[in-house]
Amino acid sequence: QVQLVESGGGLVQAGGSLRLSCAASGRTFSTSPMGWFRQAPGKEREFVAAFSWGGGSTYYADSVKGRFTISRDNAKITVYLQMNSLKPEDTAVYYCAAGAADWRGPYRYWGQGTQVTVSS
């Protein structure tokens, strides 16, 4: 069994920053891609960012490019999402995902989500 636990969400004003963390347990997957997704109320889950171990490549949705940064700490089996210049439209529940052979998915494992709320 693989468990992913997100943390770091909260309430922040527009223009502020947050860093989300996703701690993994139950297995190691140092060479596997990790992704972040989000789901706003009444909307479908959407891709935010992914980290591909091969070449250390990162991928971002157009809506967050230049503002969000995904990274990974193998020693802690943890992935992070640094979010800067937050906008109200970033408000959503953020989920981390793992267990994909390719950064585009499909991902096998998902966390419970952490709420991010950005006020104007």
Side-chain angles (χ1 to χ4, degrees), residues 33-107:
M34 299 286 292
W36 285 96
F37 294 76
R38 66 187 182 187
Q39 186 169 21
K43 295 186 177 181
E44 298 292 332
R45 183 182 64 190
E46 66 176 349
F47 169 78
V48 175
F51 179 93
S52 179
W53 191 250
S57 300
T58 57
Y59 306 89
Y60 299 94
D62 289 342
S63 60
V64 306
K65 285 182 179 178
R67 300 188 298 120
F68 291 11
T69 303
I70 187 171
S71 61
R72 182 174 183 174
D73 185 336
N74 288 336
K76 298 180 180 180
I77 316 178
T78 303
V79 293
Y80 305 94
L81 185 68
Q82 178 66 47
M83 307 185 296
N84 299 325
S85 302
L86 283 162
K87 304 175 181 179
E89 51 262 45
D90 295 319
T91 296
V93 177
Y94 283 71
Y95 300 89
C96 67
D102 186 270
W103 70 270
R104 291 162 288 191
Y107 289 90

Side-chain angles (χ1 to χ4, degrees), residues 3 7 9 13-14 19 21-22 24-25 28 30 32 34 60 63 73-74 81-82 85 89 96-97 102 107 110 115 120:
Q3 293 184 333
S7 62
Q13 292 186 341
R19 189 179 75 159
S21 299
C22 177
S25 64
T28 59
S30 61
S32 299
M34 299 286 292
Y60 299 94
S63 60
D73 185 336
N74 288 336
L81 185 68
Q82 178 66 47
S85 302
E89 51 262 45
C96 67
D102 186 270
Y107 289 90
W110 297 83
Q115 177 70 49
S120 59

